[in-house]
Amino acid sequence: MRLTMLASFAALTLSGVVSAQTPSFKYVQGGIPFGVHVENSNDAWVTLDGGQVRFTTDGGATWNPARTPDNVRVQLRGIQMLDVGGPSLVGFCVGEDGTVLASTDGGLNWTKKTTVLEPVFPNVPSNLHSLYFTTALDGWVVGDDATIVYTADGGTTWNTTPTLPPTALSVHTGKDAYDIHFLNPTTFVVAMDYGTIARTTDLGATWTETIFDASVDACVSPQISTSNNLELWGLDFIGNEGITVGGVGNNDGYILRTTDGGLTWNEEPCLNLSCASPPCLSTPPTLYGVEMFAPGQAIAVGYGSSVFVREILPAPNGPCTSCLPGVRGWNQKNTLVPGSDPPLSWVVTLNSTEAWWTGQFGIIRKSLNAGNSWSELGSLDWYRLKGGTFTSASNGLTAGQALDIRQTSDGGQSFTSVFGPDLSNGGKFFSEIEMNPANGSLGVCSGDGGFVYRTVNGGATWSLTPPGISVDYQDVNYTPSGNLVYVVGGGGTVRVSTNDGATWLDGDPNNQIPGSVRLNAVHFISDSVGIAVGNDKAAYLTTNSGLNWVAMVFNGGGPLVDMLGVISDGVRTYAVGQFGEAFLFDLGTFQFNLINLGVNATTNALNDIAFVPGNNDVYIVGDSGTLLKYDGAVWSSPKSQTSFDLVSADFFAPNSGMLISRKFGIIEFN
């Protein structure tokens, strides 16, 4: 077993790494872990969205952020660490936009290597999926549109093979390559889409392709046809025995096996499916990762948090009645609850019993008994969010999918479900949640379908308080005094409560906001003055608590922009929109003027705005991890540490704040 000095390096230098980045944004919970490399039972590394790499030196009990380049903000995928005889392991990882990162200090610090371009479209960066390095200089990476390329200098230059010139086109044009495995120094196999398994014995100079068309009829149905795209996502070998896994869509999974080094492949016919309650699947879920424990024994993970282990079968279960007890087949180890568990992405084995795997919503899991059971090393909250609020760096609430509300008192390290989830309303979302600024025991949560709830005990419990009009409510906002609370939504609807949501009144009694307007956000700077914004550049101002509303004007930007957020402190008033527009209100001309964001301009939707107490900073958050900052003089774009949509931002001091992302990501600023 290779040893690493990561633990000692971390102890000596991690404080320096962190201090060099503080104050900075970092995940507390969530993220999209993807690739994982396990060196021993203590030391492991995972790649994530937002250009992140994390590592553990205590078997996954705690995870530390590695230092990656600020301009790398994409989803990272495959990762590999190598012992090349030096004081530290060297490492490589790959990801979207042709990204290759390298580390020479055991994964503490990573630098960006030359971007990998698609061989078929030489000016297009390839989305990279996996890699296989044999030394600190020699390695291969694979990715979209037939990207199968080689480096002999640690990623400074890339060629399609060691012998062909860089301009040589791949024979696999139009096919995405997902995983790669070497059988010997000149022979390797690549798993691709369109059911293709590519094999070369001369380092890519020539190829043979096996294209699987489901001609072998397994016990599960329906089988795919040649017109469908079977994507083979994962691949692993021990000796000449190999397994590749994949699927069509989400719930038509396939496992193929070879015993002759990839010359011939057969579909594995015996899969025992599990199901907690109907509707149960008649076909296996799509599988995304596979790794072998030992000859004949393997583990595969995939959609619906599925875990399958190849082992001696008991009595058959589900549709695979041809699978006889006593033969080797695949047993599903998770109890499937359709639609409730996130996809798993990647799996590695350390020995004949220990396996680690990753998945969406921050999942990192470890098994010490060959996949029969596992422990959670990552996040435990797997619902999509639309809103949320932190009233301090410790206390927060989230609002999201299936009318779910969760509460934290430890800065997002853990959450307690205080309402829901209601799986019968899985398509409905709570949109926003806000606590009374004058009394933290009181709060209101707005949602789809006219659902509005209130709490009188700090968020511990919630009760329905219908506002009288059943529309999708998009936002809730208290006045600074806490005397009034407003909810806004479709049909130009504004409702106001004087008793923290116990009862509701019409917040636009003169019907001055057209019914064609969907109001997306509202913000009050006093008991009387507030602004509501909505679709098609709608903005309305009230100066008398909603008795009257006056239309406001936008200068610049497209004509059909949905405004998604608004904030004001009485001096500065910002509004943001769906195509990256940010506006600042000019009281003299009584209009919102488009802000020139310069090099920070984006076309991503901007969802929320936050002022920072104690200085002039303004933060704007948006889709695809967009984070904009204005320090009173210039705009910048700090690294948010996520590639997914940011829906909420709260700041408590110049060096203290929290962000919330849609896939239950909690990001701390300190």
Side-chain angles (χ1 to χ4, degrees):
M1 181 181 296
R2 295 175 299 178
L3 299 177
T4 178
M5 297 179 67
L6 178 63
S8 58
F9 266 80
L12 291 172
T13 66
L14 181 59
S15 60
V17 171
V18 172
S19 64
Q21 291 182 308
T22 55
S24 63
F25 293 90
K26 58 182 181 293
Y27 263 118
V28 176
Q29 183 175 172
I32 310 297
F34 203 98
V36 56
H37 178 96
V38 180
E39 185 66 18
N40 53 53
S41 292
N42 291 319
D43 301 320
W45 297 256
V46 296
T47 59
L48 298 100
D49 63 304
Q52 295 185 79
V53 177
R54 293 186 214 166
F55 64 88
T56 180
T57 59
D58 54 15
T62 59
W63 292 89
N64 303 301
R67 192 176 199 178
T68 58
D70 183 75
N71 63 348
V72 175
R73 306 183 180 193
V74 296
Q75 175 74 58
L76 298 176
R77 296 190 177 106
I79 183 170
Q80 183 182 3
M81 307 296 294
L82 299 95
D83 185 352
V84 295
S88 303
L89 299 183
V90 299
F92 294 90
C93 66
V94 298
E96 295 175 348
D97 292 345
T99 301
V100 179
L101 303 183
S103 172
T104 58
D105 61 1
L108 288 172
N109 295 275
W110 297 80
T111 58
K112 192 174 187 298
K113 310 304 290 185
T114 302
T115 298
V116 174
L117 304 177
E118 295 182 356
V120 180
F121 305 103
N123 295 319
V124 178
S126 176
N127 288 325
L128 302 176
H129 297 276
S130 190
L131 71 169
Y132 200 104
F133 274 74
T134 55
T135 72
L137 299 175
D138 299 284
W140 294 76
V141 301
V142 298
D144 286 358
D145 287 321
T147 300
I148 305 173
V149 295
Y150 164 82
T151 181
D153 53 19
T156 301
T157 58
W158 298 95
N159 295 313
T160 51
T161 74
T163 57
L164 296 179
T167 55
L169 296 182
S170 169
V171 297
H172 317 293
T173 300
K175 297 177 181 179
D176 296 339
Y178 296 128
D179 207 355
I180 179 174
H181 194 95
F182 269 75
L183 280 71
N184 59 52
T186 60
T187 300
F188 64 89
V189 178
V190 179
M192 310 181 76
D193 61 1
Y194 293 100
T196 300
I197 305 167
R199 186 176 188 270
T200 179
T201 59
D202 52 15
L203 291 175
T206 60
W207 294 88
T208 59
E209 285 187 349
T210 300
I211 300 177
F212 183 72
D213 62 2
S215 59
V216 177
D217 187 31
C219 61
V220 293
S221 62
Q223 291 299 301
I224 65 168
S225 68
T226 54
S227 61
N228 289 57
N229 182 10
L230 168 57
E231 296 174 298
L232 297 174
W233 293 100
L235 175 71
D236 193 38
F237 277 83
I238 290 182
N240 283 326
E241 182 185 3
I243 298 172
T244 183
V245 300
V248 179
N250 295 327
N251 288 315
D252 193 3
Y254 287 81
I255 304 176
L256 311 178
R257 180 169 171 262
T258 180
T259 57
D260 57 11
L263 293 172
T264 60
W265 294 81
N266 293 292
E267 185 180 3
E268 289 276 81
C270 299
L271 288 82
N272 277 341
L273 307 182
S274 67
C275 183
S277 60
C280 298
L281 299 176
S282 61
T283 60
T286 291
L287 299 169
Y288 299 115
V290 66
E291 188 93 350
M292 298 185 68
F293 286 110
Q297 184 186 10
I299 181 172
V301 301
Y303 189 74
S305 289
S306 296
V307 177
F308 285 83
V309 172
R310 192 175 194 271
E311 58 188 5
I312 301 296
L313 291 178
N317 175 45
C320 300
T321 56
S322 64
C323 300
L324 299 176
V327 303
R328 283 202 178 269
W330 295 81
N331 274 322
Q332 188 169 8
K333 299 298 182 176
N334 65 304
T335 301
L336 181 63
V337 181
S340 67
D341 294 330
L344 303 175
S345 307
W346 198 280
V347 60
V348 298
T349 58
L350 180 62
N351 49 46
S352 61
T353 58
E354 185 170 340
W356 298 50
W357 57 89
T358 59
Q360 295 194 26
F361 292 86
I363 288 177
I364 305 173
R365 292 172 178 163
K366 178 170 68 172
S367 173
L368 299 177
N369 57 8
N372 285 283
S373 62
W374 47 84
S375 56
E376 301 283 355
L377 307 180
S379 301
L380 300 175
D381 298 283
W382 307 327
Y383 284 87
R384 288 174 172 81
L385 302 178
K386 198 171 180 180
T389 183
F390 274 82
T391 55
S392 70
S394 299
N395 299 309
L397 291 146
T398 62
Q401 184 182 18
L403 302 179
D404 181 75
I405 302 174
R406 302 195 177 202
Q407 187 174 39
T408 180
S409 59
D410 57 10
Q413 298 284 346
S414 62
F415 281 82
T416 301
S417 180
V418 293
F419 186 86
D422 180 1
L423 295 182
S424 65
N425 280 300
K428 289 186 169 61
F429 279 75
F430 279 134
S431 58
E432 192 52 279
I433 194 167
E434 186 159 336
M435 304 302 289
N436 189 318
N439 184 344
S441 297
L442 306 172
V444 174
C445 183
S446 60
D448 294 343
F451 286 106
V452 175
Y453 283 74
R454 69 188 297 254
T455 181
V456 296
N457 54 12
T461 61
W462 295 81
S463 58
L464 182 65
T465 169
I469 298 177
S470 183
V471 298
D472 290 345
Y473 287 98
Q474 305 294 330
D475 197 18
V476 55
N477 182 245
Y478 271 93
T479 59
S481 68
N483 293 329
L484 303 173
V485 59
Y486 290 79
V487 292
V488 298
T493 303
V494 181
R495 305 295 285 176
V496 59
S497 175
T498 60
N499 51 15
D500 295 282
T503 58
W504 294 90
L505 304 170
D506 192 345
D508 179 24
N510 294 311
N511 297 319
Q512 291 169 319
I513 300 177
S516 59
V517 173
R518 181 189 67 248
L519 295 173
N520 295 318
V522 61
H523 185 84
F524 274 77
I525 62 174
S526 70
D527 281 357
S528 57
V529 179
I531 299 172
V533 298
N535 62 306
D536 297 344
K537 276 189 172 176
Y540 293 86
L541 170 71
T542 181
T543 58
N544 53 12
S545 305
L547 180 64
N548 299 105
W549 294 87
V550 178
M552 307 174 77
V553 176
F554 286 89
N555 177 32
L560 300 177
V561 175
D562 288 356
M563 305 309 300
L564 303 177
V566 64
I567 194 172
S568 179
D569 61 3
V571 177
R572 302 167 296 171
T573 301
Y574 290 89
V576 293
Q578 72 180 117
F579 299 122
E581 299 88 348
F583 295 87
L584 179 63
F585 185 69
D586 184 335
L587 184 61
T589 60
F590 201 75
Q591 66 182 13
F592 281 99
N593 293 319
L594 184 67
I595 298 171
N596 182 2
L597 298 173
V599 296
N600 307 292
T602 178
T603 57
N604 295 324
L606 302 178
N607 300 316
D608 197 21
I609 319 155
F611 292 135
V612 179
N615 61 25
N616 291 321
D617 291 354
V618 180
Y619 283 93
I620 298 174
V621 298
D623 285 0
S624 301
T626 300
L627 179 64
L628 303 174
K629 176 187 177 182
Y630 183 65
D631 64 3
V634 297
W635 287 91
S636 60
S637 179
K639 186 173 181 176
S640 68
Q641 306 296 336
T642 182
S643 304
F644 288 90
D645 301 348
L646 292 168
V647 298
S648 179
D650 291 291
F651 285 82
F652 323 109
N655 293 334
S656 178
M658 304 293 287
L659 309 180
I660 298 176
S661 77
R662 199 173 305 279
K663 286 197 172 183
F664 218 108
I666 308 299
I667 300 169
E668 178 185 31
F669 177 75
N670 64 18

